[in-house]
Amino acid sequence: MTDTLTRTAPKRLSTLDKWLPLWIGLAMVAGLLLGRFVPALSDALSAMEVGGISIPIGLGLLVMMYPVLAKVRYDRVAAVTGDKKLLLSSLVLNWLVGPAVMFALAWIFLPDLPEYRTGLIIVGLARCIAMVVIWNDLACGDREATAVLVAINSVFQVVMFSVLGWFYLTVLPGWLGLDAQGLDVSVWQIALNVLVFLGIPLAAGFASRFVGEKRKGRDWYEEKFLPVIGPWALYGLLFTIVLLFALQGEQVTSRPMDVARIALPLLVYFALMWFAGILLGKGLGLGYARSTTLAFTAAGNNFELAIAVAIGTFGAASGQALAGVVGPLIEVPVLVGLVYVSLWAAKAWFHTDPYATESRTS
């Protein structure tokens, strides 16, 4: 990631970049083993929560997101907000298509397991505002577009999450003659999640660029400062994965068949949403960088919010909570794989070099 996140011209992958799937796989395994064989760690992580947010995991996400948001050229954000096709496409995919697709898949694959089904629907409602910045940057997407779309998702999350939860878990099942399970989520809980996982690193990233460029100039900021902080995005990602999987490691490893049942619709969901995003972007002529951004923001989900809501509403030992935990278990490796598919698609479908400067801002 150290080179991937800072390059503006083709270079050989660094060791960290080249073996990224391995590092993530090892982090997942380490977390699961810790959660399984060191249960005290899981209890300790659960005890360190504020407003449903685990403090250590929150710190890991902040460390992960800050370097990427510090790389955003905020003076280019205005150009993104003028791209009506991108903004409208993102809203449709995230808030109309995504929840509906997850609702359909949950009922198709888990008609006999209402707790897991409800957990999956909650995952589908929680649109990504955190790890998407990592996947997008690894795939050489448009950083400025990602910042804008993540901000829009955050606002919609505060306003629409409870409404959509009520619709998909109570109203729509009633219309279709299906079993219904309600969802009671406070706006404050959602707003706190958005503030922590987006507001803090976004403010820090903006302040870093503003102060750094004002005092040292853009060349120093991008050639000296950014390469120093760049690796910390990967360190934060791996740290977060270890803790997240340790938190529910015993539950995941002790119920492998349930995990498999939950995993299948998630695999279909992530693939469908990602391909829908990138093909829609290509069809609209958005270019590789923004099509990639559209794809990853559509496919990713805010697992922290989904897990917090499931635990807060149904309890830590509930099937809904397990479904929320399985979300990142599947999402992380799948979206890492889609990063490589995206880089391949840049040349095969868009006929462009994903590492070229132009592809980052097209």
Side-chain angles (χ1 to χ4, degrees):
M1 182 181 295
T2 52
D3 283 342
T4 303
L5 298 183
T6 58
R7 68 165 65 86
T8 57
K11 295 181 181 179
R12 294 184 62 185
L13 290 175
S14 69
T15 301
L16 288 176
D17 288 336
K18 185 177 180 179
W19 299 103
L20 178 63
L22 175 62
W23 310 140
I24 289 179
L26 290 175
M28 293 169 61
V29 171
L32 290 173
L33 292 176
L34 285 172
R36 176 67 172 173
F37 297 108
V38 189
L41 176 60
S42 178
D43 295 338
L45 291 174
S46 299
M48 291 186 286
E49 290 187 356
V50 176
I53 297 173
S54 170
I55 294 177
I57 292 176
L59 290 174
L61 287 170
L62 294 181
V63 172
M64 176 193 78
M65 292 183 66
Y66 165 68
V68 180
L69 292 173
K71 294 181 177 77
V72 172
R73 290 190 175 182
Y74 292 93
D75 54 351
R76 294 179 178 171
V77 166
V80 177
T81 58
D83 191 338
K84 299 297 190 298
K85 291 189 292 186
L86 175 66
L87 299 182
L88 181 60
S89 298
S90 179
L91 288 175
V92 170
L93 286 174
N94 276 286
W95 297 101
L96 293 179
V97 177
V101 168
M102 188 67 92
F103 175 86
L105 292 173
W107 275 98
I108 290 171
F109 286 95
L110 301 170
D112 57 328
L113 297 171
E115 290 191 1
Y116 297 155
R117 185 176 64 236
T118 297
L120 283 186
I121 293 172
I122 293 173
V123 171
L125 299 178
R127 312 314 299 170
C128 194
I129 62 171
M131 281 193 176
V132 68
V133 298
I134 290 288
W135 313 137
N136 176 78
D137 229 41
L138 286 170
C140 300
D142 189 317
R143 292 189 185 117
E144 290 69 40
T146 302
V148 171
L149 296 185
V150 164
I152 291 174
N153 276 345
S154 300
V155 173
F156 268 77
Q157 204 146 239
V158 173
V159 175
M160 295 301 297
F161 188 92
S162 295
V163 175
L164 289 175
W166 167 74
F167 177 75
Y168 279 106
L169 294 176
T170 303
V171 177
L172 186 56
W175 289 352
L176 299 176
L178 305 171
D179 295 333
Q181 290 193 359
L183 181 66
D184 182 19
V185 185
S186 70
V187 173
W188 162 245
Q189 184 179 19
I190 302 169
L192 178 62
N193 191 276
V194 170
L195 174 64
V196 171
F197 299 130
L198 176 65
I200 294 175
L202 183 61
F206 177 82
S208 294
R209 180 169 284 278
F210 179 79
V211 174
E213 289 190 357
K214 186 174 182 180
R215 293 187 176 182
K216 297 284 191 175
R218 174 162 290 184
D219 289 343
W220 174 88
Y221 183 82
E222 297 194 344
E223 295 175 11
K224 301 294 185 181
F225 180 72
L226 292 184
V228 172
I229 66 171
W232 285 93
L234 176 57
Y235 303 152
L237 172 64
L238 298 178
F239 176 78
T240 301
I241 291 172
V242 170
L243 292 187
L244 180 68
F245 284 63
L247 188 62
Q248 298 288 338
E250 183 176 3
Q251 191 174 10
V252 169
T253 55
S254 63
R255 300 159 76 176
M257 292 308 298
D258 288 351
V259 170
R261 288 281 309 267
I262 298 168
L264 186 55
L266 284 169
L267 283 169
V268 176
Y269 172 82
F270 293 133
L272 281 177
M273 293 303 297
W274 187 88
F275 278 102
I278 201 162
L279 292 175
L280 178 60
K282 179 174 172 56
L284 293 174
L286 297 179
Y288 169 76
R290 290 189 179 178
S291 296
T292 296
T293 296
L294 182 64
F296 280 104
T297 51
N301 291 87
N302 186 351
F303 57 81
E304 268 295 312
L305 176 60
I307 293 171
V309 168
I311 291 175
T313 306
F314 301 102
S318 66
Q320 292 89 342
L322 177 61
V325 171
V326 175
L329 178 70
I330 304 303
E331 178 178 348
V332 169
V334 169
L335 292 190
V336 169
L338 288 173
V339 166
Y340 290 92
V341 174
S342 187
L343 294 172
W344 168 84
K347 297 180 179 179
W349 295 351
F350 293 86
H351 308 293
T352 187
D353 178 0
Y355 298 130
T357 303
E358 291 77 15
S359 72
R360 308 305 293 268
T361 57
S362 61

